[in-house]
């Protein structure tokens, strides 16, 4: 009879811990689904904010869940919830991207858990860095894949206009008064004129002869340019319109295998770009994870105990 209350107490404690763990998993899935919904709807700013919360909850899962099966289940549910809003893109490539997404998230969680299990004193920043490296890679690969699949290997003119505007200051160093709206004819005339004024024979020509030389030079430059890129150029269209037309032409001519190769190259390029500024992503993620981690301690949901008098163990109360 004496042992019954103790048994009930232990059982109740385990139930409470299990409820908290499953609640954490459910919250992760909820924020994962919300982040995916915002990204799929084009609300990138809000999507990025909720994504940080989602990844933070995945980090907390790694800290608090020491059972690999439950940890894998929690991470997988979060990943699938994040991917559900993109299921309209369902295909073999999408499923492959989803699988890579899940594998990298689980890999990050396992690496983080391995670090914790091999630490005598829990070093929060070290654990978070190990986890986020794989998780950021997972998110970049998956979102890049969905971007490529949603575009169906085509590019909107608005995006091309933005690209040309970004490149305008660089091009402007070589082409006077360059703008994305400049006609291709004006651009070619400027290039031909720069070469022509260096020729003393051009200087002695009459105005009509100079104009004839320039027109002929523009046509020759147009022909060489079209031969080099394998696409037609419209002299009366703007630079942005021509760039958009050329990109669409080249993308439309790609074979399925070539599309796959270029997709991999594009994802690798995006991943490399993100890795170069990874610390900018890590800082808010680590800060939010630390604040939530400390808040859970303050609220009494989590305790830090010593195992065998030499090892710190994080556990839910």
């Amino acid at each position: 009879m004496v042992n019954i209350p103790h048994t009930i107490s232990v059982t109740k404690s385990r139930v409470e811990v299990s409820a908290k763990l499953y609640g954490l998993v459910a919250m992760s899935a909820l924020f994962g689904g919300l982040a995916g919904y915002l990204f799929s709807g084009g609300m990138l700013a809000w999507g990025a904010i909720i994504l940080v919360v989602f990844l933070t909850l995945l980090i907390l899962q790694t800290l608090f869940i020491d059972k690999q099966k439950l940890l894998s289940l929690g991470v997988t549910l979060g990943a699938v919830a994040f991917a559900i809003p993109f299921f309209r893109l369902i295909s073999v490539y999408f499923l492959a991207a989803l699988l890579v997404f899940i594998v990298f998230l689980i890999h990050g969680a396992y690496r983080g858990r391995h670090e914790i299990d091999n630490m005598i004193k829990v070093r929060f920043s070290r654990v978070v860095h190990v986890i986020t490296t794989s998780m950021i890679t997972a998110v970049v690969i998956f979102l890049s894949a969905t971007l490529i699949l949603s575009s169906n290997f085509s590019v909107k003119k608005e995006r091309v206009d933005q690209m040309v505007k970004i490149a305008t200051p660089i091009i402007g160093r070589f082409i006077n008064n360059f703008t994305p709206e400049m006609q291709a004819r004006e651009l070619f005339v400027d290039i031909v004129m720069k070469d022509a004024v260096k020729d003393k024979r051009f200087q002695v020509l009459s105005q009509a002869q100079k104009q004839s030389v320039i027109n002929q030079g523009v046509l020759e430059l147009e022909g060489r340019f079209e031969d080099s890129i394998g696409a037609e150029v419209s002299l009366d269209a703007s630079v942005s319109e021509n760039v958009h037309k050329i990109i669409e032409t080249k993308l439309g001519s790609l074979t399925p295998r070539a599309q796959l190769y270029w997709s991999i190259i594009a994802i690798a390029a995006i991943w490399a770009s993100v890795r170069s500024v990874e610390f900018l992503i890590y800082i808010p993620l680590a800060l939010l994870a630390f604040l939530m981690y400390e808040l859970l301690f303050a609220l009494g949901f989590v305790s830090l105990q010593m195992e065998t008098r030499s090892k710190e163990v994080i556990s839910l109360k």
Side-chain angles (χ1 to χ4, degrees), residues 167-181:
T168 295
I170 300 174
I171 301 175
R173 296 180 182 179
F174 306 97
I175 307 297
N176 295 329
N177 303 317
F178 174 82
T179 65
E181 293 75 27

Side-chain angles (χ1 to χ4, degrees), residues 42-307:
M43 293 173 279
L44 303 184
W46 283 107
I49 293 172
I50 301 301
L51 177 62
V52 169
V53 178
F54 168 56
L55 294 180
T56 299
L57 291 171
L58 291 184
I59 291 171
L60 294 179
Q61 281 190 47
T62 304
L63 292 172
F64 301 146
I65 302 176
D66 56 359
K67 296 179 180 179
Q68 285 193 348
K69 289 184 179 180
L70 182 56
L71 182 59
S72 299
L73 176 63
V75 172
T76 301
L77 286 176
V80 172
F82 183 82
I84 285 175
F86 298 98
F87 266 39
R88 66 181 185 280
L89 305 173
I90 192 74
S91 66
V92 174
Y93 298 124
F94 176 81
L95 293 176
L98 177 58
L99 179 61
V100 172
F101 183 46
I102 294 172
V103 168
F104 269 91
L105 287 181
I106 292 177
H107 174 67
Y110 276 16
R111 284 189 63 198
R113 193 66 240 177
H114 179 74
E115 286 289 326
I116 294 171
D117 291 340
N118 286 278
M119 286 180 176
I120 295 176
K121 182 177 179 62
V122 177
R123 297 179 180 177
F124 184 83
S125 59
R126 168 63 182 169
V127 174
V128 172
H129 185 266
V130 168
I131 299 170
T132 54
T133 299
S134 292
M135 288 186 173
I136 290 172
T137 298
V139 171
V140 169
I141 291 175
F142 183 74
L143 288 180
S144 299
T146 57
L147 177 64
I148 293 171
L149 291 172
S150 62
S151 67
N152 197 25
F153 294 96
S154 64
V155 180
K156 293 182 179 179
K157 187 178 182 302
E158 291 77 10
R159 289 183 180 174
V160 174
D161 291 342
Q162 291 175 351
M163 290 167 52
V164 178
K165 285 180 180 178
I166 293 172
T168 295
I170 300 174
I171 301 175
R173 296 180 182 179
F174 306 97
I175 307 297
N176 295 329
N177 303 317
F178 174 82
T179 65
E181 293 75 27
M182 174 186 283
Q183 284 189 342
R185 188 186 302 278
E186 294 179 52
L187 177 63
F188 285 175
V189 166
D190 193 283
I191 296 173
V192 172
M193 279 291 293
K194 282 191 174 182
D195 289 335
V197 294
K198 297 176 183 178
D199 193 338
K200 294 181 179 180
R201 293 173 297 176
F202 180 78
Q203 303 296 335
V204 299
L205 297 176
S206 65
Q207 192 62 36
Q209 289 174 322
K210 286 182 179 179
Q211 189 61 50
S212 178
V213 170
I214 291 171
N215 290 339
Q216 183 61 34
V218 168
L219 292 175
E220 291 177 357
L221 179 59
E222 178 190 11
R224 292 198 302 271
F225 186 71
E226 288 179 344
D227 290 340
S228 65
I229 64 173
E232 294 183 359
V233 174
S234 175
L235 294 178
D236 295 325
S238 69
V239 173
S240 286
E241 290 172 340
N242 274 292
V243 172
H244 178 252
K245 180 181 176 182
I246 291 168
I247 293 176
E248 285 289 283
T249 300
K250 302 304 288 185
L251 289 176
S253 63
L254 293 176
T255 63
R257 178 171 292 184
Q259 289 179 347
L260 176 61
Y261 291 155
W262 278 108
S263 297
I264 294 173
I265 292 172
I267 291 173
I270 295 172
W271 174 78
S273 300
V274 173
R275 282 301 299 269
S276 66
V277 294
E278 184 179 303
F279 68 97
L280 295 176
I281 304 172
Y282 168 75
I283 292 172
L285 191 58
L287 180 60
L288 181 58
F290 179 73
L291 291 175
M292 293 183 68
Y293 177 75
E294 290 295 324
L295 180 62
L296 290 173
F297 272 107
L299 294 176
F301 283 92
V302 180
S303 64
L304 191 63
Q305 302 172 345
M306 296 297 295
E307 185 180 83

